Amino acid sequence: GQNIDQPTEMTATEGAIVQINCTYQTSGFNGLFWYQQHAGEAPTFLSYNVLDGLEEKGRFSSFLSRSKGYSYLLLKELQMKDSASYLCAVIKAAGNKLTFGGGTRVLVKP
Amino acid sequence: DAMVIQNPRYQVTQFGKPVTLSCSQTLNHNVMYWYQQKSSQAPKLLFHYYDKDFNNEADTPDNFQSRRPNTSFCFLDIRSPGLGDAAMYLCATSRDPGESEKLFFGSGTQLSVL
């Protein structure tokens, strides 16, 4: 099976930085995704990490440590529109099935 | 241009009345997935098709069925909806299994059961 843990909720101020941690336990790991999901909408792809290290994409960065079973999503220069749930998801080599964590709801305050 | 299209956006049905949700894709992807997402929970995979091969998750209730008549379309049938089946149903596609492809999600169908 797979266990994917992330905090339930985080609050941050507009313009600040927030780091969302995700830990996972899985066999046959083949990559980790971060998705953003606004209330009542479908998840949208943010990032994909399969090798250790940091991937930077504009205001969003994602980090992976395979040996530690750990990832984080870093959101910089927070904007009000960044208020959403952020889902960590792990994919296994067999079957290409994506398993999601429970999501972290980020609330950005003025 | 929408690539994965789900209809309707909102669906209301009655307890025990069969309902069908639809999904179509213009990406020509081989794999189509159905996820169930209840409020404030993670999306949960129900089943997926790789071409015409149906792959059911072990804990998906028998009440949920799926059809894929061609590459572009996939349907989710709920034979006798219960109150606990009220959720957002997400359709997603990917090019191939065995590759770590990001999934393309539709906008979802929010199902209410009265």
Side-chain angles (χ1 to χ4, degrees):
Chain A
Q2 293 171 271
N3 292 319
I4 303 171
D5 293 311
Q6 49 182 132
T8 307
E9 197 167 288
M10 301 179 75
T11 302
T13 306
E14 192 175 14
I17 298 172
V18 71
Q19 177 174 315
I20 306 169
N21 296 324
C22 173
T23 58
Y24 63 90
Q25 294 174 318
T26 186
S27 56
F29 175 84
N30 206 29
L32 185 143
F33 292 79
W34 283 97
Y35 281 82
Q36 180 191 61
Q37 187 177 28
H38 285 99
E41 297 181 13
T44 55
F45 171 80
L46 289 178
S47 68
Y48 169 64
N49 294 69
V50 67
L51 300 175
D52 286 356
L54 187 68
E55 296 276 344
E56 296 187 82
K57 197 183 289 186
R59 294 190 298 114
F60 294 0
S61 303
S62 57
F63 171 83
L64 176 67
S65 169
R66 293 178 67 143
S67 62
K68 295 181 180 176
Y70 167 71
S71 172
Y72 68 73
L73 179 69
L74 195 68
L75 285 63
K76 293 181 273 191
E77 300 169 21
L78 280 171
Q79 302 175 8
M80 299 300 290
K81 68 178 181 179
D82 297 330
S83 292
S85 285
Y86 292 85
L87 302 167
C88 173
V90 170
I91 196 160
K92 297 179 74 166
N96 202 40
K97 292 190 291 185
L98 203 61
T99 300
F100 288 88
T104 299
R105 202 166 73 173
V106 171
L107 178 62
V108 180
K109 293 185 173 180
Chain B
D1 293 336
M3 295 180 288
V4 182
I5 303 159
Q6 290 188 244
N7 284 306
R9 184 74 176 86
Y10 299 94
Q11 175 74 57
V12 181
T13 191
Q14 291 179 329
F15 182 93
K17 185 176 180 181
V19 65
T20 295
L21 309 182
S22 73
C23 177
S24 64
Q25 54 130 340
T26 60
L27 297 162
N28 205 33
H29 280 174
N30 291 315
V31 192
M32 295 187 78
Y33 307 80
W34 280 104
Y35 283 84
Q36 178 195 60
Q37 186 177 26
K38 296 186 178 180
S39 181
S40 301
Q41 295 184 22
K44 178 179 177 297
L45 182 63
L46 295 173
F47 26 60
H48 75 279
Y49 273 96
Y50 174 35
D51 285 339
K52 295 180 181 179
D53 292 334
F54 178 69
N55 298 272
N56 200 28
E57 292 301 299
D59 55 355
T60 298
D62 292 339
N63 197 26
F64 291 87
Q65 304 285 321
S66 187
R67 295 170 284 134
R68 189 178 186 187
N70 53 53
T71 301
S72 300
F73 285 87
C74 194
F75 299 99
L76 170 62
D77 300 308
I78 308 176
R79 291 193 295 191
S80 181
L83 298 180
D85 297 329
M88 171 78 87
Y89 290 89
L90 297 164
C91 174
T93 72
S94 71
R95 191 170 59 193
D96 260 316
E99 297 179 12
S100 297
E101 299 279 349
K102 65 181 173 77
L103 271 63
F104 291 81
F105 282 91
S107 56
T109 294
Q110 184 69 50
L111 178 69
S112 299
V113 181
L114 304 179

